[in-house]
Amino acid sequence: MKTLKIAIQKSGRLNEKSVELLKNCGLDFDNYKSSLISGVSNFPLEILFLRDDDIPEYVQDGIADLGIVGENVIQETEVEVVYLQRLGFGKCSLKIAIPNSLDLNDVTELSGKSIATTYPVILRKYLKAKEINAEIRTISGSVEISPGLGLSDAICDLVSTGGTLKSNGLKPFCNVMSSEAILIGKAGIENHEHVQELLQRVQSVLRAKETKYVVLNIHKDNLNKAIELLPGVKSPSVVPLADEGWVAVHTVIPESDFWDRINLLRQAGAQGITVMPIEKIIF
Ligand code: PRP
Ligand code: ZN
């Protein structure tokens, strides 16, 4: 069967996490910064290292079968690709930001203003939906310096930590879209046997990230109380201890409310709570 190709970002905010995800899926490949393409020794896959802005079109046109890229880039290029999986990393938002000195209270006040951006497609749709009549100045980079240079009144750019805005005397004004890394595929590729295998591996890695493996000791009298506090994959395993009054409980706890559950378990009499990272969860 034909070797699949997956395109990932060569350098930038998604590169490291994309490589980490593929490695965690058990794929063995070299990650040389200089190479454009890398073979996977233990899976029928080749990895293409590309500029993120090119990835959606390469996937749409079938030059790559799969890609990992920010949703902002996908929306901006208006391609037809299939969303296979949201990946939960590379979270950021596309925001309109204005100079600290500018006082605006409502988005409608952007009417008549100029906004510099590298995301004209998304911005145009946003302004249209809000019925704002602003001028879009499309530039190719360093958007954050344009108000300071007098090139525009505002900007529309990606914000992650907010550091870039701050150091350029800008403040976030409104959210245009939220974005994260997405695993995309060319239309129809989702039925490919190896894509399904890869997708399953990706999902098992993502599930594992959301949960922790927990072992705790508890007196038998308190066991039911503790079990009520535990979700587990099916139900927790209960293992007898040498001390007959006590048992060890093995289970999986979601990261989201981890500390709340741990505190409730301690109140219920749990002792020696040991928490371990999980590598994969396969259903
Ligand atoms: C974005 C954006 C800002 C910066 C914001 O660029 O254009 O420069 O990140 O991040 P911060 O809020 O953490 O300071 P990116 O690194 O994605 O490069 P690119 O737009 O050239 O792809
Ligand atoms: Zn880019």
Side-chain angles (χ1 to χ4, degrees):
M1 205 177 270
K2 166 179 163 280
T3 299
L4 293 170
K5 293 192 179 73
I6 184 167
I8 67 171
Q9 197 184 27
K10 185 174 173 60
S11 61
R13 65 175 70 233
L14 299 185
N15 165 269
E16 215 172 287
K17 290 270 173 66
S18 304
V19 168
E20 182 187 304
L21 174 67
L22 296 179
K23 295 253 175 194
N24 285 339
C25 287
L27 305 181
D28 185 26
F29 59 94
D30 290 326
N31 179 28
Y32 296 129
K33 286 276 173 248
S34 57
S35 60
L36 265 175
I37 185 159
S38 208
V40 174
S41 66
N42 57 356
F43 197 84
L45 184 71
E46 278 175 337
I47 300 168
L48 308 180
F49 297 92
L50 302 175
R51 277 192 53 215
D52 63 345
D53 308 45
D54 296 333
I55 292 176
E57 272 161 8
Y58 274 36
V59 172
Q60 172 183 254
D61 299 346
I63 293 161
D65 305 281
L66 302 168
I68 295 178
V69 69
E71 189 171 17
N72 54 303
V73 183
I74 306 168
Q75 298 282 333
E76 183 62 28
T77 41
E78 295 185 296
V79 290
E80 275 191 40
V81 293
V82 184
Y83 279 35
L84 295 172
Q85 181 66 50
R86 298 190 162 268
L87 297 173
F89 63 81
K91 289 196 173 162
C92 57
S93 12
L94 188 64
K95 286 187 194 293
I96 294 178
I98 56 175
N100 290 329
S101 56
L102 191 60
D103 256 331
L104 296 184
N105 299 308
D106 191 80
V107 283
T108 56
E109 294 173 44
L110 287 167
S111 279
K113 303 253 183 285
S114 58
I115 308 172
T117 190
T118 57
Y119 293 90
V121 172
I122 299 174
L123 180 59
R124 184 162 298 119
K125 285 182 186 160
Y126 176 82
L127 294 175
K128 194 172 174 207
K130 300 265 178 200
E131 296 180 357
I132 298 166
N133 195 7
E135 185 199 340
I136 299 174
R137 300 237 160 111
T138 305
I139 57 178
S140 60
S142 305
V143 174
E144 60 277 2
I145 61 172
S146 77
L149 294 176
L151 295 173
S152 69
D153 300 309
I155 67 166
C156 174
D157 199 15
L158 278 194
V159 179
S160 120
T161 62
T164 304
L165 291 188
K166 216 175 218 163
S167 58
N168 286 281
L170 301 167
K171 58 188 177 189
F173 179 57
C174 59
N175 198 38
V176 175
M177 85 171 276
S178 301
S179 180
E180 67 181 291
I182 315 262
L183 175 65
I184 54 170
K186 126 184 125 181
I189 202 74
E190 62 272 24
N191 302 317
H192 191 292
E193 178 191 349
H194 294 141
V195 171
Q196 297 207 340
E197 168 67 24
L198 189 64
L199 191 55
Q200 219 173 76
R201 293 193 194 187
V202 167
Q203 286 164 349
S204 79
V205 172
L206 294 178
R207 270 198 295 272
K209 273 229 172 69
E210 289 160 8
T211 47
K212 295 270 182 263
Y213 193 86
V214 175
V215 179
L216 58 88
N217 296 332
I218 195 154
H219 193 274
K220 278 181 178 168
D221 292 347
N222 297 325
L223 180 60
N224 285 336
K225 231 189 318 173
I227 286 177
E228 279 170 25
L229 296 168
L230 295 172
V233 172
K234 271 216 171 68
S235 67
S237 319
V238 178
V239 183
L241 294 183
D243 181 340
E244 283 186 5
W246 287 73
V247 290
V249 177
H250 292 235
T251 193
V252 164
I253 289 187
E255 182 78 84
S256 53
D257 60 351
F258 178 78
W259 284 108
D260 292 339
R261 274 189 212 264
I262 292 291
N263 288 333
L264 289 171
L265 285 165
R266 287 174 66 191
Q267 283 164 26
Q271 292 182 9
I273 303 173
T274 308
V275 182
M276 287 156 275
I278 300 174
E279 195 173 307
K280 296 179 179 68
I281 297 179
I282 295 139
F283 287 148

